Amino acid sequence: MAIQPQYILFDKSNLSGATAKGIPFKNAYIDIKPKKRGEFADLTIYNFKFSHGYQTRYLDNKQVFQHWQKSLKELHFFPKNILITMTPLTRDKFKRVDVTDQVNRGELQFTEADSLLKSAVKEIFYGIYAPLGVLDWDQELKIKRLDFRLVLKERDRYFLIDNETLTEFYYVDFKPIYPDLLTTCGIHPATRNEQKAAFIKGNVVPTGHGKNLYGKILKDSALNIDLKENRYVRFYHFWTNSYVLSFYKYGDRWGQDRAWWVDSGIGDFVYVESIGIINGNFLDYFRKALPTYSADAKTNPQFHLYFETARINGVKARDYLQRYASSKKGFF
């Protein structure tokens, strides 16, 4: 029997608030366009960002594990902010289907925000700890997936984006971390730089064993964008190191089990605090990556963005950033 898809609602008129269980959220939608006109389709990245809402920065590694584990049953215990991105993808045109009547008749129902968050918590927990061999079972990783469908609410109308949609689960942690403890789903702005071009060429020897950084999200660099009145925004550049998660619970066999493979998905991307991911390449999709390599590594061996951020929440990107930065000093 075919599995029914889960429909996720993104309400453009309700970008902040709290879930039914009281967990704060702040959403954003980011329009990006190819720098070379016509090379790729224009895309929109939809960010769902959830806050854990309490102080956890001083937890040690054991306590962090316990919080993730506890959050599997009691959702609000997740110890890091969680970011979920959904990006419809096409090489031609997007298919927008008006499903307002189906929604109003109750024929199309949405997965609640808390249920979506619960899925993210579970997969992030596995994404952090399954490769370390600390679980009592082998777990396929589903931190990047294609089984959710996105519906946009624009005023009083509902539109299904009837295209393949990449959903990715991340947690965000500003605590400095030892490189070997980086993960397949962690965005760590405060960790050291592992510049993509130098790493791939072998000119930089990372802390610890180099193999421990394969399949993980690494920070290439950070860039300050000057705005006005001595205020600026920091853009964090990240990349996914390698196509395959080469980890096993037992032994040291590498890259043999498809269950551990993770497409780089978005590939190179840009993260901005309080907004989320504002740019990415998606070369595994546009370059049709094969199961043996990542397009972002083979065709894009240094950090390079094929897209530029055009609009944030419907406003020109620079205008949006200037408006926000004008009320705060320093980073945001």
Side-chain angles (χ1 to χ4, degrees):
M1 184 174 69
I3 299 176
Q4 294 296 320
Q6 293 189 58
Y7 295 94
I8 309 300
L9 177 66
F10 188 96
D11 187 347
K12 287 187 173 182
S13 63
N14 184 27
L15 297 176
S16 63
T19 70
K21 292 188 177 181
I23 297 171
F25 70 83
K26 185 177 182 181
N27 298 340
Y29 58 100
I30 318 299
D31 298 318
I32 63 175
K33 62 181 182 181
K35 292 180 178 179
K36 183 178 179 180
R37 187 174 182 180
E39 184 174 17
F40 306 121
D42 292 355
L43 303 178
T44 301
I45 303 170
Y46 297 89
N47 289 302
F48 301 77
K49 190 173 183 181
F50 300 91
S51 172
H52 55 66
Y54 55 93
Q55 181 60 259
T56 60
R57 64 181 298 182
Y58 298 112
L59 297 181
D60 59 28
N61 291 333
K62 180 179 178 180
Q63 291 171 322
V64 169
F65 172 83
Q66 291 171 338
H67 272 67
W68 281 118
Q69 190 177 43
K70 191 172 184 179
S71 68
L72 298 178
K73 294 183 178 179
E74 300 177 66
L75 181 60
H76 64 283
F77 279 97
F78 60 93
K80 308 294 179 184
N81 289 344
I82 289 179
L83 174 67
I84 302 170
T85 66
M86 295 186 68
T87 310
L89 299 170
T90 183
R91 298 182 181 91
D92 185 17
K93 296 181 180 179
F94 284 104
K95 303 174 184 176
R96 284 169 53 103
V97 180
D98 191 328
V99 293
T100 305
D101 291 342
Q102 293 94 312
V103 172
N104 291 337
R105 290 195 299 262
E107 297 171 357
L108 191 156
Q109 298 182 346
F110 302 114
T111 297
E112 296 292 337
D114 288 309
S115 296
L116 175 63
L117 179 57
K118 186 175 181 180
S119 295
V121 167
K122 181 180 71 172
E123 300 305 335
I124 288 171
F125 174 74
Y126 294 152
I128 296 172
Y129 296 107
L132 299 179
V134 300
L135 305 181
D136 293 331
W137 66 93
D138 293 328
Q139 178 65 44
E140 182 179 357
L141 303 185
K142 297 180 181 178
I143 53 177
K144 300 177 187 290
R145 54 205 297 167
L146 301 173
D147 56 339
F148 292 116
R149 309 291 300 281
L150 182 66
V151 177
L152 306 180
K153 183 179 181 183
E154 299 176 350
R155 297 185 179 180
D156 59 348
R157 309 298 295 179
Y158 295 85
F159 298 93
L160 169 68
I161 309 301
D162 197 15
N163 294 81
E164 181 173 278
T165 297
L166 174 66
T167 300
E168 302 183 289
F169 297 147
Y170 303 94
Y171 68 94
V172 182
D173 187 0
F174 272 83
K175 181 179 179 180
I177 189 170
Y178 188 70
D180 283 1
L181 296 179
L182 295 172
T183 69
T184 67
C185 51
I187 295 177
H188 296 274
T191 196
R192 59 173 278 176
N193 293 346
E194 299 287 354
Q195 292 188 330
K196 182 179 180 181
F199 191 100
I200 289 178
K201 290 179 180 179
N203 296 331
V204 174
V205 179
T207 302
H209 299 294
K211 69 180 183 181
N212 290 337
L213 294 181
Y214 282 106
K216 298 185 177 182
I217 296 174
L218 307 180
K219 187 178 73 171
D220 176 87
S221 55
L223 177 66
N224 293 338
I225 305 299
D226 293 324
L227 295 173
K228 59 182 180 180
E229 298 175 1
N230 295 319
R231 295 178 175 91
Y232 49 91
V233 179
R234 174 160 281 188
F235 285 14
Y236 296 97
H237 298 161
F238 290 91
W239 60 288
T240 304
N241 184 18
S242 178
Y243 181 92
V244 62
L245 254 185
S246 306
F247 296 91
Y248 270 77
K249 180 181 177 184
Y250 300 109
D252 195 23
R253 294 170 295 166
W254 282 65
Q256 299 174 24
D257 188 342
R258 184 63 179 85
W260 293 104
W261 292 1
V262 177
D263 293 349
S264 62
I266 195 173
D268 295 358
F269 67 90
V270 180
Y271 175 83
V272 172
E273 188 182 353
S274 90
I275 300 176
I277 290 176
I278 68 165
N279 201 353
N281 280 337
F282 305 97
L283 292 188
D284 277 350
Y285 177 83
F286 287 110
R287 300 300 192 199
K288 299 181 180 180
L290 301 175
T292 53
Y293 72 88
S294 164
D296 256 295
K298 294 293 184 179
T299 68
N300 195 34
Q302 61 182 4
F303 187 92
H304 172 73
L305 295 171
Y306 288 79
F307 287 85
E308 61 185 8
T309 305
R311 303 175 75 86
I312 301 174
N313 294 342
V315 179
K316 287 184 179 180
R318 188 167 184 86
D319 291 344
Y320 183 92
L321 296 173
Q322 284 181 327
R323 182 187 307 172
Y324 191 98
S326 66
S327 63
K328 288 190 175 183
K329 294 182 179 179
F331 305 146
F332 73 85

